Structure formats: C-alpha cells, structure tokens
C-alpha cells in the first residue's frame, strides 16, 4: 500500500454510466482509484475536500497532433480551408521547424490541455522515429497521460497504390519496431493512399508487436468507383485489409460501413469542429450510436483547432442539434471520457475502482452549475475552463 489520498466533493459522476453521486469521495492509492463511496472515507493519509464542487473523469482527447502545436499562427484557414491544403502546409512546416520550437509548443499545449480538463491524449506522430522520440521525451517530462501512434516514414506512388501488391520497405518498418515500447499502436493515413498488401503488412506487424491498429478513413469524399462492384469502400479496406481497431474521422462513410464497423467492434474517433472548419460532411454519429459503434471524440490538428475537449463536446451537441440529429448530452460526455477506455484498451475515463486516478474538480459556483438538475447537460453545453478548479493525473494534483 502506498500513500492514500481521498478527494471529497458535493457531487461526483461515478462509473461507466456517469451516475451522479452525492457527498462523494474517491480514494487514490498511488496512481490508481481504489475506493469510491459516499460520506467520509476511512484509512487515508490525506484528504482534499471540495465542498462546492463536482468530480468528473478526466477528459480524453483521442486524436491530436502535438507537433502541429508549433504552427498555430501559420495557417490562414480562410485561404487554406481544405484538408488537402492543411496536409501540404503541415508537411512544409514540420520540415522547417526547429527542435526548440517544437518542444516549447508541445509543453505549452500540454499546460493548456490540463487546464481545460484533458488528462489523456492519443497523439498521432508523423515523420518517422525521430519525431516519435522527440514527442515521447517531451511528453514524458509533463504530467499528462499520453499514448502515441507512429507510422512508417514512406509515401507510395499512385501506380503502386493502384497495383496494390507493394509493401512498405524494411527501412521504414524496422525503426518503428525498435521503438514499439514507446507506442500504443500504428496510425496510418487514408487507405486510398496505401497499397492493399501494405495494409496487410502493417496489420501483421502491429499484431506481432501487440499494438493497436488505427487509420484515417473517409476524411475525403469517396471516389466515383468506391464501393461499386468489386471495389471496396475506405472503411471496408481499413477493416478487411488492416483489421483496424480505431478509425479516425469517418465523415464520408456509407450506411453499410457503419454496420460493418459495429460488427467488427471497432471504434470511431470524430472531430466535430475540424469537420465544421474544413467544410466536411458530418460524420454519422447518430447512426453509429444507433448501431452500437463505440464513438469517441478528438480535436485533430492544433494547427487548425484548439485542443479543447470542452469546446469539442459543446460543438458536437450544438452541431447535431442543428442538423436535426440530436445526441443526448450524457452520450457526448461518454465520448470524451468513458468510451475511450474501450477504444484504447486502457483503464481511463472512468471514476471507478481499478481505473487511473485521473479526475477533474469542477466548481459549481460559476455558470450556474449548482442550479442544474442535469449535470451532464451542463458540462457538455456550458462548462468551460473557468469551472476547472483542479486536475488530478495519476493521483497527483497537477493544476
């Protein structure tokens, strides 16, 4: 047994169903939650009592590119508001950026994310092992819980993609395998940019290394032949050839794709504000929920969108209400917390015994939270960084 810290509050959102508990307490034993209850805890070394507050699980940002933080002031989104131009810009900026600029930007972004209630991130690292090592070293020196996705530093030609029987060269695969202990998984670009045999190759390598398989899917409009005749859709390619565990974006997927994702048990990460800014088709979150797909939220590139998960939740609620496809606020809150546990196969996003001790303390006296009957609705629609009183990561108060 290590040092037992108890955190008390007037309310807490407990368990996978985010059930509201009154006069709640949570006990941390080191970095793990070991006890949850009501009243006063016993056998603890220290108590932090927040009378006029609510405890909620730390938010999880399941899609972010931390290296892009250094380019926030370089992209003029009005003039470059297409996903193709954003990709071209980020590649150009990454080639020019100095190590010191990248380090400083990542550190500043982590501080911002913690102060807005995010305790875990899934970072999609591009440009090979050198950048993986950089991001890993910088994030290791910060309090935030981080998981990294790496990808081979290789681009296939158009002809290689069409022929389909090309594989990633060994010099782009071996370095990733050597740093597998630093990775949660492989994160690939759109399957339309990768030969079929290379998708199969990466699936085998990931499974041999015990890593998850993630991929960008349907973030661009489908080709005229996609899903017609013998042609597979982007989602089908990701599921059948790559055996993907997680699909990013899924804006232009078909109804049959949703059913296939549900049957496979894969998760989908949606980025609502990025969809809005880039003028993409809204991901069918309502349909995915209906079919039982595990949907989680992320923010995407900090070059385009602030990595603020509170804003992401609010935007998701408002956008789908506007579309006439409303999503219950508690489901959106789960997308930013609970659902990440299943998607990432980690004990995160839940205030429950055995989970990581990542907890956010929200003030009730700002924005009318103390008058709300539906706490989940308030958090999703109205809560902001001013409500964040303190943040605990792995059992330690970090801000």
């Amino acid at each position: 047994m290590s040092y037992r810290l108890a955190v008390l509050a007037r309310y807490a959102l407990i368990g996978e169903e985010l059930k509201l508990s009154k006069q709640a307490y949570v006990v941390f034993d080191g970095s793990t939650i070991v006890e949850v209850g009501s009243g006063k805890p016993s056998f603890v070394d220290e108590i932090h009592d927040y009378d006029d507050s609510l405890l909620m699980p730390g938010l999880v940002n399941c899609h972010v590119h931390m290296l892009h933080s250094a380019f926030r002031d370089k992209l003029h989104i009005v003039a470059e508001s297409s996903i193709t131009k954003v990709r071209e810009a980020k590649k150009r900026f990454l080639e020019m950026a100095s190590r010191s600029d990248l380090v400083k930007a990542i550190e500043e972004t982590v501080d911002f994310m913690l102060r807005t209630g995010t305790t875990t991130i899934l970072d999609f690292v591009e440009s090979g092992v050198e950048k993986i090592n950089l991001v890993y070293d910088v994030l290791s020196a910060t309090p935030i819980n981080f998981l990294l996705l790496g990808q081979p530093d290789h681009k296939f030609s158009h002809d290689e993609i069409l022929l389909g029987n090309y594989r990633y060269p060994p010099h782009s695969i071996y370095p990733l395998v050597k740093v597998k202990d630093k990775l949660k998984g492989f994160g690939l670009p759109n399957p339309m940019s990768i030969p079929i045999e290379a998708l199969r190759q990466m699936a085998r390598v990931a499974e041999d290394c015990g890593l998850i398989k993630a991929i960008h899917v349907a973030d661009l409009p489908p080709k005229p032949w996609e899903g017609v005749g013998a042609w597979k859709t982007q989602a089908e390619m990701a599921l059948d050839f790559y055996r993907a565990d997680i699909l990013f974006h899924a804006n232009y997927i078909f109804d049959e794709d949703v059913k296939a994702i549900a049957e496979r048990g894969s998760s989908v990460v949606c980025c609502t504000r990025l969809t809005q800014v880039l003028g993409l088709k809204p991901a069918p979150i309502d349909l995915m929920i209906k079919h039982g797909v595990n949907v989680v939220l992320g923010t995407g590139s900090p070059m385009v969108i602030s990595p603020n998960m509170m804003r992401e939740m609010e935007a998701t609620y408002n956008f789908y209400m506007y579309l006439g496809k409303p999503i219950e606020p508690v489901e959106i809150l789960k997308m930013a917390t609970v659902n990440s546990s299943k998607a990432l196969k980690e004990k995160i996003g839940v205030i429950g015994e055995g989970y990581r001790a990542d907890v956010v303390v929200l003030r009730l006296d700002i924005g009318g939270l103390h008058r709300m009957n539906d706490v989940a609705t308030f958090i999703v629609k109205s809560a902001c960084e001013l409500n964040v009183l303190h943040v605990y990561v792995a059992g330690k108060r970090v801000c």
Side-chain angles (χ1 to χ4, degrees), residues 32-197:
T32 305
I33 296 173
V34 294
E35 187 179 341
V36 178
S38 297
K40 295 291 183 180
S42 303
F43 309 110
V44 295
D45 299 288
E46 184 179 357
I47 293 176
H48 293 177
D49 194 348
Y50 303 106
D51 179 58
D52 199 24
S53 300
L54 172 138
L55 306 180
M56 64 170 284
L59 299 173
V60 181
N61 189 335
C62 274
H63 190 27
V64 66
H65 300 262
M66 295 298 286
L67 289 170
H68 297 187
S69 302
F71 318 135
R72 285 190 296 263
D73 61 341
K74 299 188 185 310
L75 184 69
H76 302 289
I77 198 64
V78 174
E80 300 186 79
S81 56
S82 80
I83 198 164
T84 301
K85 290 183 178 179
V86 168
R87 287 171 176 168
E88 292 172 352
K90 61 123 187 248
K91 181 180 179 181
R92 185 170 68 251
F93 296 148
L94 272 174
E95 291 172 349
M96 297 187 301
S98 69
R99 180 183 176 88
S100 60
D101 286 343
L102 293 172
V103 170
K104 181 180 179 182
I106 292 172
E107 292 172 341
E108 291 175 347
T109 300
V110 167
D111 183 67
F112 171 81
M113 296 173 86
L114 289 171
R115 293 180 184 279
T116 52
T118 295
T119 57
T120 295
I121 60 173
L122 179 64
D123 187 27
F124 193 107
V125 186
E126 300 158 294
S127 301
V129 169
E130 179 186 352
K131 291 297 191 292
I132 290 172
N133 288 330
L134 184 154
V135 173
Y136 183 89
D137 291 344
V138 177
L139 291 178
S140 294
T142 73
I144 203 162
N145 181 39
F146 66 92
L147 305 166
L148 304 185
L149 297 176
Q151 67 170 265
D153 191 14
H154 179 80
K155 184 176 181 180
F156 292 99
S157 70
H158 181 68
D159 289 343
E160 289 173 331
I161 296 167
L162 289 179
L163 289 171
N165 58 353
Y166 283 81
R167 305 174 67 188
Y168 283 104
H171 65 77
S172 68
I173 298 294
Y174 292 157
L176 285 177
V177 174
K178 288 182 179 179
V179 297
K180 66 179 182 179
D181 291 343
K182 296 182 179 180
L183 298 176
K184 179 64 180 179
F186 294 144
L188 299 184
N190 192 290
M192 301 297 279
S193 65
I194 306 171
I196 290 171
E197 187 53 38

Side-chain angles (χ1 to χ4, degrees), residues 63-374:
H63 190 27
V64 66
H65 300 262
M66 295 298 286
L67 289 170
H68 297 187
S69 302
F71 318 135
R72 285 190 296 263
D73 61 341
K74 299 188 185 310
L75 184 69
H76 302 289
I77 198 64
V78 174
E80 300 186 79
S81 56
S82 80
I83 198 164
T84 301
K85 290 183 178 179
V86 168
R87 287 171 176 168
E88 292 172 352
K90 61 123 187 248
K91 181 180 179 181
R92 185 170 68 251
F93 296 148
L94 272 174
E95 291 172 349
M96 297 187 301
S98 69
R99 180 183 176 88
S100 60
D101 286 343
L102 293 172
V103 170
K104 181 180 179 182
I106 292 172
E107 292 172 341
E108 291 175 347
T109 300
V110 167
D111 183 67
F112 171 81
M113 296 173 86
L114 289 171
R115 293 180 184 279
T116 52
T118 295
T119 57
T120 295
I121 60 173
L122 179 64
D123 187 27
F124 193 107
V125 186
E126 300 158 294
S127 301
V129 169
E130 179 186 352
K131 291 297 191 292
I132 290 172
N133 288 330
L134 184 154
V135 173
Y136 183 89
D137 291 344
V138 177
L139 291 178
S140 294
T142 73
I144 203 162
N145 181 39
F146 66 92
L147 305 166
L148 304 185
L149 297 176
Q151 67 170 265
D153 191 14
H154 179 80
K155 184 176 181 180
F156 292 99
S157 70
H158 181 68
D159 289 343
E160 289 173 331
I161 296 167
L162 289 179
L163 289 171
N165 58 353
Y166 283 81
R167 305 174 67 188
Y168 283 104
H171 65 77
S172 68
I173 298 294
Y174 292 157
L176 285 177
V177 174
K178 288 182 179 179
V179 297
K180 66 179 182 179
D181 291 343
K182 296 182 179 180
L183 298 176
K184 179 64 180 179
F186 294 144
L188 299 184
N190 192 290
M192 301 297 279
S193 65
I194 306 171
I196 290 171
E197 187 53 38
L199 289 171
R200 291 182 172 132
Q201 172 194 16
M202 291 307 297
R204 291 191 295 269
V205 175
E207 290 163 1
D208 288 345
C209 293
L211 301 176
I212 66 171
K213 305 176 293 292
I215 189 168
H216 289 71
V217 164
D219 46 354
L220 291 172
K223 303 293 185 183
W225 60 85
E226 191 175 318
V228 178
W231 287 96
K232 291 182 179 288
T233 66
Q234 295 178 41
E236 287 174 332
M237 292 179 69
L239 296 173
D240 294 347
F241 302 137
Y242 187 47
R243 301 188 287 276
D245 302 301
I246 300 177
L247 288 72
F248 295 122
H249 302 301
N251 296 95
Y252 295 91
I253 59 175
F254 302 93
D255 290 357
E256 291 302 314
D257 290 332
V258 174
K259 296 176 184 178
I261 294 168
E263 290 173 1
R264 185 65 63 90
S266 301
S267 298
V268 176
V269 180
C270 296
C271 305
T272 303
R273 289 180 298 149
L274 193 66
T275 290
Q276 294 172 319
V277 168
L278 298 180
L280 305 175
K281 179 183 177 182
I285 294 179
D286 56 317
L287 186 61
M288 287 190 275
I289 292 175
K290 178 181 177 180
H291 285 281
V293 175
N294 186 55
V295 181
V296 292
L297 294 179
T299 57
S301 174
M303 183 172 63
V304 182
I305 294 295
S306 165
N308 186 328
M309 287 298 292
M310 288 187 168
R311 289 186 185 178
E312 195 67 29
M313 289 190 293
E314 180 187 8
T316 300
Y317 177 84
N318 290 338
F319 191 36
Y320 285 85
M321 183 66 74
Y322 167 77
L323 294 172
K325 301 176 180 180
I327 303 171
E328 290 294 327
V330 69
E331 293 300 323
I332 294 175
L333 185 55
K334 287 179 180 179
M335 293 177 201
T337 55
V338 176
N339 294 2
S340 61
S341 178
K342 178 181 178 181
L344 300 176
K345 300 178 177 61
E346 296 276 340
K347 301 291 281 186
I348 56 176
V350 176
I351 296 179
E353 295 180 7
Y355 283 83
R356 273 182 56 96
D358 299 337
V359 173
V360 177
V361 184
L362 290 184
R363 295 179 58 172
L364 298 176
D365 60 340
I366 292 180
L369 177 56
H370 62 287
R371 295 193 297 272
M372 295 293 294
N373 294 322
D374 187 342

